Amino acid sequence: MDLLYARAQMGLSLAFHIVFAAAGIALPLLMVLSDLKARRTGDAHYVTLSRKLAKGTAILFAVGAVSGTVLSFELGLLWPELMGTYGEVIGLPFALEGTAFFTEAVFLGIYLYGRDRISPSLHLFSGVMVALSGAASAFFVTLVNAFMNHPAGFTPTPHGPVDVDPVAAMFGPSWLHQTSHTLVACYQASAFAMAGIHALVLLRHPGSTFHRKALSIALPLACATALLQPLIGDLSAKHVATAQPVKFAALEAHFETARGAPISLGGLPDVETATTRYALEIPKALSILAFNDPDAEVKGLKEFPRDEWPPIAKVHFAFQLMVGTGTTMALLAALTLFLRFRRKAWPDGRRMLWAWLLCGPLGVVAMEAGWLTTEWGRQPWIIHGVMRTADAVTPVPHLAAPFWTFTLVYAFLGVMVVFLLVRQVAGTLPGHEGAGGHDAHDDPEPSHAH
């Protein structure tokens, strides 16, 4: 039971933190893009947008810093065997992440308080550094997770790692696939959320030029990442098929080794009967996905010891949710770009605004589902093939108390963040002071966002 509570607390902390970390990575980029647009056009709406995004970044950065600090303590307190045994192997990316975090904090302060005190070029540079530092912070943390999925850079022994090479451990075989997949997911989730928020306002207030222009900043990043992510995901899946075949089999609830293996869409995995009921199968698609060969052999779960199976149903459902939401976002992005190039303007009809509103949360859903797929799919290992999760957990009992305490704290923080962000958006609605010192509703007619 204590192992369950330890995993639940770590999972809750990460699920909460990843949302704010993603926003802290992507909002500075959107902020800089707004600044660049303002410098190029002289439009006060983009200046207002960059100010709003900077305030949002500050709020999310503060909450992300708190939840990230909690996570650093939880790593040592809940998983002492992991950190005590392999701390020297994974310590370097943690140290570099700390450096990136402090760099981001310094330049965020300069950006927030130096707008009218330093030169415009230096102010823009500070924003660029916030964006780069946020991405670097996520990059280094993800390298640790890549190591846990595909360890390298040491020789395992019964007494711990020897011949440790921290750089080789940091850049193991999985680093490129996992870091690119994670970073693009962060930009995609934030851009889709921003597009959904401004689409909602435009459905209620079609005459708001500010929100139309804000949507024109979010849509290019949302469309680009939505179309890029499936390509990265395909490369990642091919790597998993080779490096973690049991995880790959769990993704598709694939029990029997077969050539020309089909992909299972949906379905209910039944571990006892080793079948997936009600699934729609696409012949040979799994072999193509894994090895680019319609007749390639794909190992099934039965090829591996039962005690090394991850939770099949959870992994399968999380993976299906990730792929389903990702596909939906890619289709919407493709349609949006088609209309953009056909009409020479970003589509702003009610149907497209409703589509973006409904798809706004999907980036976060896909990101959370992808993270669950990665973590559940690695079980029962905390370091794949080297250390089991049960062997890394703390021997301290009564872990239910901190779990419920942190659940309440995260709920309170979540409510406060939503309240503060809603106030930021509400300040740009008609009836409030709008961009350029006037009410956004005062524009004589809606303009098309180019």
Side-chain angles (χ1 to χ4, degrees):
M1 183 58 71
D2 284 331
L3 173 61
L4 178 62
Y5 273 117
R7 290 185 59 197
Q9 183 175 336
M10 197 72 187
L12 173 68
S13 299
L14 281 165
F16 182 85
H17 175 72
I18 195 172
V19 176
F20 301 99
I25 294 164
L27 287 190
L29 175 60
L30 293 163
M31 177 181 76
V32 169
L33 292 175
S34 301
D35 266 345
L36 288 171
K37 193 79 169 181
R39 288 164 65 92
R40 187 170 67 86
T41 64
D43 192 325
H45 288 96
Y46 293 113
V47 176
T48 301
L49 179 60
S50 71
R51 290 178 183 271
K52 293 289 183 182
L53 289 171
K55 291 179 180 178
T57 298
I59 294 169
L60 296 168
F61 179 83
V63 178
V66 172
S67 57
T69 301
V70 170
L71 277 168
S72 66
F73 281 110
E74 286 179 347
L75 276 173
L77 295 175
L78 295 178
W79 313 103
E81 289 300 319
L82 168 67
M83 300 307 296
T85 305
Y86 290 94
E88 64 175 315
V89 185
I90 58 178
L92 180 58
F94 278 130
L96 293 173
E97 189 276 335
T99 302
F101 170 80
F102 285 116
T103 303
E104 182 180 9
V106 169
F107 280 103
L108 180 59
I110 295 173
Y111 187 88
L112 288 171
Y113 300 107
R115 184 180 293 271
D116 300 319
R117 296 176 174 87
I118 58 178
S119 69
S121 297
L122 185 57
H123 184 257
L124 179 63
F125 173 76
S126 65
V128 172
M129 289 304 297
V130 173
L132 292 176
S133 300
S137 182
F139 174 80
F140 290 123
V141 167
T142 307
L143 288 178
V144 178
N145 193 261
F147 167 83
M148 295 167 72
N149 282 297
H150 197 157
F154 69 97
T155 301
T157 72
H159 307 290
V162 297
D163 303 325
V164 174
D165 184 344
V167 175
M170 190 165 65
F171 295 104
S174 297
W175 78 271
L176 182 58
H177 306 93
Q178 199 161 331
T179 55
S180 57
H181 199 47
T182 299
L183 286 171
V184 171
C186 291
Y187 293 119
Q188 181 179 358
S190 301
F192 264 80
M194 179 176 169
I197 290 169
H198 293 292
L200 171 63
V201 177
L202 286 170
L203 284 168
R204 298 178 61 188
H205 306 284
S208 175
T209 303
F210 170 80
H211 290 280
R212 202 170 296 278
K213 292 180 179 179
L215 188 63
S216 75
I217 293 294
L219 286 181
L221 183 61
C223 291
T225 52
L227 295 176
L228 179 62
Q229 189 67 288
L231 302 177
I232 298 174
D234 178 66
L235 295 175
S236 181
K238 287 176 168 55
H239 176 77
V240 171
T242 303
Q244 295 176 280
V246 63
K247 177 179 178 179
F248 186 80
L251 298 179
E252 295 292 340
H254 180 63
F255 291 95
E256 301 285 349
T257 299
R259 291 187 175 276
I263 276 182
S264 297
L265 300 180
L268 300 174
D270 187 333
V271 175
E272 299 304 320
T273 61
T275 58
T276 303
R277 293 172 292 172
Y278 314 118
L280 175 64
E281 293 189 346
I282 303 177
K284 299 192 175 185
L286 190 59
S287 293
I288 296 173
L289 174 65
F291 303 109
N292 286 332
D293 181 356
D295 297 316
E297 181 181 87
V298 180
K299 291 185 177 180
L301 287 161
K302 289 184 177 180
E303 292 284 334
F304 307 95
R306 184 67 176 268
D307 66 347
E308 294 184 8
W309 288 16
I312 307 303
K314 291 180 179 179
V315 175
H316 181 66
F317 292 147
F319 180 69
Q320 296 282 302
L321 181 60
M322 179 188 70
V323 172
T325 52
T327 301
T328 301
M329 289 185 286
L331 291 174
L332 176 59
L335 176 60
T336 299
L337 289 177
F338 171 77
L339 295 174
R340 167 69 178 85
F341 289 109
R342 183 180 179 183
R343 301 175 182 176
K344 308 301 181 184
W346 289 107
D348 55 8
R350 291 188 65 84
R351 289 183 180 179
M352 288 303 295
L353 290 177
W354 268 109
W356 278 99
L357 170 60
L358 294 175
C359 290
L362 294 189
V364 174
V365 173
M367 183 173 61
E368 294 280 12
W371 169 74
L372 290 173
T373 299
T374 297
E375 298 306 295
W376 280 337
R378 192 178 63 246
Q379 299 305 315
W381 305 98
I382 193 167
I383 300 178
H384 184 255
V386 176
M387 175 181 282
R388 289 180 178 262
T389 307
D391 296 331
V393 71
T394 178
V396 176
H398 310 303
L399 295 181
F403 169 76
W404 291 112
T405 300
F406 278 106
T407 299
L408 293 174
V409 170
Y410 287 142
F412 172 75
L413 286 174
V415 170
M416 291 303 299
V417 167
V418 171
F419 171 75
L420 292 172
L421 293 179
V422 167
R423 288 193 62 184
Q424 288 295 311
V425 175
T428 63
L429 295 179
H432 296 262
E433 191 69 17
H438 66 279
D439 193 302
H441 191 64
D442 290 338
D443 292 290
E445 61 180 295
S447 63
H448 292 280
H450 289 272

